[in-house]
Amino acid sequence: MSSRTKKILLLLLVVLLVAAAIYGWQQFKAPERSTHLPSATVTRGNLQEQVTATGTINPRNYVDVGAQISGQLLRLHVEVGDPVEAGQLLAEIDARVLEANVAASRAQLRAQAAQLRDRQAQLKLAQLHYQRQQNLRADEAVTEEALQQAEASYLSAAAQLDQLQAQIEQNQSSLAADEANLEYARILAPISGTVVSINARQGQTLNANQQAPVILQIADLSQMRVETRVSEADVSRLRVSMPAYFTTLGSQGQRWRGELLRIEPTPVIENNVVLYNAPFDVENRRNQLLPQMTAQVFFIVAETQDALLAPSAALQRLDRQRYQVTVLTPGGSQEVREVQVGVNNRIQAEILSGLQEGEILLLQTGSQQNRATQNTNRIPGMPRL
């Protein structure tokens, strides 16, 4: 082989080696660097900023039905789960003593009515006698003393009549109380609803002298109230009438919706955590919600539809109003842009300006996010640590 041929082969070998080195660098070095950069794509979708909490479901309207009189519970006409209408008979208490009291009061009133007629007759007689004595005294046929005695008899008869009428009124009030107690022996439903609990049993003796014993509870299950407890860190983000929804265990993703009624000012402290009650009402037309169910509640602070969305991890806060992101260009370079952010639920953020759908963003690592937070929260004029 000639020296010229050897030179050509050597040159070809050098060219092949350089080409292989360039190809290897493009295939291994550049992709390795790009694949190790955490990134995400700007997409389009819906977004909600929420406050989450847990709550307990109870009927909005319920009544504890108690006994106003003492006695033995003779009969219960309902069971737990029975629907009832207002005015329906629920239970009966032994009323034999009450019936006897009513009968005695009525008999006493009849006797006093007879006494009243007798007193009225005596008053009329005393009045006539007094008038005759006045006429006779005018003719000086009787003494002044006789006239005075007739007047005293007339006034005494009138006073006795007034006294008897007062006793009759008193006994009529006692009769009304006895009749009311007799009515209380029949316990009626105060509202329409469902019997949710029964606390007494047939044959049990009820004592209403110290406090009214609760026999059963009726609740209107068509309207339920969700008693939600929100932490003090999130309660400032709530506002009255803001929309809310919740799910229950086993609801298979079904949502019930309502509006926040109020934020109750008295907190509840559980395990050194301050919680505030934030209730709202929901419809329960199909009776799927039952008392004491646990609800996972979501208060909607803000929401947007069909918006550009970027991961919150791609945002770097410049101050309380401005953010910036790092965009990975198709050529592999990095471009820093300032963006305007709308709704932000700390996982995704709405991009109002500065990005387009499909662009790739560089995600910040944990250390970068910590540094950004420190720089944002540091006091102006103080050196960086």
Side-chain angles (χ1 to χ4, degrees):
M1 182 181 298
S2 63
S3 60
R4 182 177 179 180
T5 302
K6 291 180 180 181
K7 290 180 180 180
I8 294 174
L9 291 176
L10 181 60
L11 181 60
L12 289 175
L13 180 60
V14 171
V15 171
L16 289 175
L17 290 175
V18 171
I22 295 174
Y23 178 80
W25 181 83
Q26 291 177 344
Q27 294 295 318
F28 295 100
K29 296 299 182 180
E32 180 179 1
R33 182 177 60 187
S34 62
T35 55
H36 280 76
L37 292 176
S39 61
T41 304
V42 178
T43 59
R44 187 172 292 276
N46 305 330
L47 183 64
Q48 287 184 344
E49 181 182 353
Q50 303 169 336
V51 171
T52 60
T54 58
T56 303
I57 303 173
N58 281 307
R60 187 186 70 173
N61 186 23
Y62 66 91
V63 175
D64 291 327
V65 182
Q68 294 181 267
I69 60 171
S70 300
Q72 186 182 32
L73 184 60
L74 289 183
R75 280 178 293 276
L76 272 172
H77 298 281
V78 292
E79 295 288 342
V80 175
D82 288 350
V84 296
E85 297 293 332
Q88 179 178 333
L89 181 62
L90 303 176
E92 294 180 78
I93 298 175
D94 186 4
R96 289 175 294 178
V97 175
L98 301 175
E99 290 171 348
N101 292 338
V102 170
S105 296
R106 288 174 177 171
Q108 187 175 10
L109 281 175
R110 287 195 299 270
Q112 288 179 331
Q115 294 177 11
L116 179 63
R117 291 192 296 272
D118 178 66
R119 294 288 176 85
Q120 288 172 341
Q122 292 179 9
L123 176 62
K124 185 175 182 180
L125 179 61
Q127 183 181 15
L128 292 174
H129 179 66
Y130 177 51
Q131 289 175 351
R132 285 195 300 269
Q133 292 298 101
Q134 284 179 321
N135 294 333
L136 292 173
R137 178 59 183 159
D139 296 334
E140 296 184 355
V142 296
T143 63
E144 183 68 24
E145 182 180 0
L147 177 61
Q148 292 174 350
Q149 289 178 351
E151 182 182 9
S153 298
Y154 169 67
L155 295 176
S156 176
Q160 291 177 8
L161 180 61
D162 290 341
Q163 181 182 11
L164 182 58
Q165 287 177 335
Q167 291 176 354
I168 291 175
E169 291 177 359
Q170 182 179 6
N171 289 334
Q172 286 175 340
S173 298
S174 299
L175 175 60
D178 292 337
E179 289 175 339
N181 287 332
L182 183 58
E183 292 179 0
Y184 292 152
R186 290 169 50 85
I187 299 175
L188 307 179
I191 63 171
S192 299
T194 303
V195 179
V196 295
S197 67
I198 294 179
N199 303 323
R201 291 292 177 262
Q202 192 166 292
Q204 179 179 340
T205 300
L206 305 175
N207 183 8
N209 293 328
Q210 297 180 350
Q211 61 180 7
V214 176
I215 298 177
L216 51 87
Q217 186 182 87
I218 299 176
D220 180 8
L221 299 182
S222 64
Q223 288 277 340
M224 305 297 281
R225 174 157 295 178
V226 185
E227 302 288 347
T228 309
R229 292 183 174 180
V230 181
S231 69
E232 61 178 328
D234 292 326
V235 73
S236 60
R237 302 169 63 193
L238 303 185
R239 64 184 185 278
V240 176
S241 299
M242 72 186 304
Y245 68 89
F246 70 92
T247 59
T248 61
L249 297 175
S251 64
Q252 298 179 350
Q254 182 177 357
R255 296 179 177 182
W256 288 266
R257 299 182 180 276
E259 293 183 354
L260 179 61
L261 293 175
R262 59 182 174 271
I263 302 171
E264 297 180 357
T266 303
V268 176
I269 301 177
E270 293 182 354
N271 299 324
N272 294 326
V273 178
V274 179
L275 304 172
Y276 291 87
N277 193 32
F280 63 94
D281 295 337
V282 293
E283 298 285 341
N284 188 29
R285 296 186 181 90
R286 298 171 59 187
N287 290 335
Q288 294 175 288
L289 303 175
L290 298 175
Q292 296 299 311
M293 277 186 170
T294 300
Q296 181 65 37
V297 181
F298 303 87
F299 293 99
I300 302 176
V301 179
E303 62 181 334
T304 182
Q305 305 290 328
D306 193 31
L308 286 179
L309 303 179
S312 298
L315 302 177
Q316 182 179 0
R317 174 175 283 182
L318 300 177
D319 53 33
R320 295 187 181 278
Q321 301 292 334
R322 300 182 303 132
Y323 291 83
Q324 71 178 19
V325 296
T326 302
V327 180
L328 297 178
T329 65
S333 61
Q334 298 181 7
E335 178 183 347
V336 177
R337 295 186 197 168
E338 186 172 328
V339 296
Q340 185 178 359
V341 175
V343 179
N344 188 349
N345 65 1
R346 302 176 186 176
I347 299 176
Q348 286 185 308
E350 175 191 14
I351 303 300
L352 300 177
S353 63
L355 292 175
Q356 295 182 356
E357 184 178 358
E359 290 188 307
I360 300 175
L361 305 180
L362 180 65
L363 301 182
Q364 297 185 73
T365 63
S367 59
Q368 290 173 328
Q369 291 179 349
N370 291 337
R371 285 197 300 269
T373 302
Q374 292 174 0
N375 291 338
T376 302
N377 296 333
R378 71 186 184 91
I379 301 174
M382 295 292 291
R384 291 189 177 94
L385 300 179

